[in-house]
Amino acid sequence: MRAVILASILLLGAASPALAQAPTPPDAATQYRDMKTRAEAGDAEAQWNLGMMLLNGEGTTRNEREAWRWVRASGDAGYENGMISTAVMLALGQGTTRDEAQARDWYRRAAERHRSAHALRGYAGMLIMGQGGPQEAERGLAYLELAGEGGDENALRILDAIAPQVAGRIDRPRVDALKAEWVAARGRPD
């Protein structure tokens, strides 16, 4: 069961913001310089965009370490994509030292702060797999279902893939209670 869940999460993780392709403008080098100016001025969205440009080599030389610096600054500022990308980069060790416990915490914080279905999916995957902390399969399943209900299509695909493995193995009333607890405390994810 763990292998199917892990494969589903890893295959669908490619849709995460940290791996997103930055748009290719007519003059990428000019856009990079402009984005860097905005990022240096403290614009959290520009910091994230600059990080993505560095990660993908758009308008500049690809540089994971520098990408990490800007993505993390964006996450520290509370920008949703910055927080999620910080989690992804920590989980992968991309531009920084791999740290699953911190990745799990960043996903949780992004999901709580922004009611983000995408972040909740990442957090759920780490709970299900026991990455960065104890395995909490039922809590992870509850959060994965909430992410799917919140419109995260990858969460729905993962649920479809793992359904045969979890059928009959979970405490459905507990999963439902955990979902209700999340919604009561934070609202439904978007």
Side-chain angles (χ1 to χ4, degrees):
M1 179 170 120
R2 278 179 62 99
V4 171
I5 294 169
L6 179 60
S8 297
I9 291 167
L10 291 176
L11 287 173
L12 295 173
S16 67
L19 303 176
Q21 182 71 22
T24 304
D27 183 1
T30 299
Q31 184 172 5
Y32 172 80
R33 286 190 301 275
D34 293 345
M35 196 64 64
K36 187 170 185 184
T37 299
R38 289 179 44 215
E40 288 171 341
D43 179 329
E45 182 179 5
Q47 290 168 340
W48 179 76
N49 282 315
L50 183 65
M52 293 300 99
M53 293 177 86
L54 285 156
L55 191 60
N56 294 306
E58 289 289 327
T60 189
T61 304
R62 187 176 178 343
N63 184 331
E64 284 189 8
R65 184 167 287 306
E66 190 69 5
W68 163 251
R69 183 170 80 84
W70 288 108
V71 165
R72 178 62 188 261
S74 177
D76 286 341
Y79 182 64
E80 182 178 350
N81 285 343
M83 294 177 80
I84 295 169
S85 295
T86 296
V88 172
M89 292 178 83
L90 281 163
L92 298 174
Q94 191 172 36
T96 188
T97 303
R98 185 176 178 171
D99 188 330
E100 290 181 347
Q102 280 192 43
R104 182 169 164 158
D105 186 57
W106 275 97
Y107 274 130
R108 179 192 56 77
R109 289 169 40 204
E112 289 175 351
R113 180 174 182 164
H114 297 285
R115 292 187 356 201
S116 166
H118 183 166
L120 193 56
R121 171 181 34 101
Y123 183 42
M126 296 195 89
L127 290 168
I128 291 168
M129 299 306 301
Q131 294 173 308
Q135 184 176 24
E136 299 181 57
E138 288 173 342
R139 183 175 303 278
L141 181 60
Y143 295 172
L144 190 60
E145 288 179 4
L146 281 173
E149 291 166 13
D152 188 302
E153 292 183 19
N154 286 330
L156 295 174
R157 288 184 190 101
I158 294 168
L159 286 166
D160 284 345
I162 67 173
Q165 286 76 29
V166 299
R169 293 182 159 171
I170 60 156
D171 179 351
R172 184 79 246 171
R174 173 149 168 73
V175 169
D176 292 340
L178 289 165
K179 287 170 65 174
E181 177 184 290
W182 178 279
V183 171
R186 298 167 190 91
R188 293 203 165 272
D190 305 319

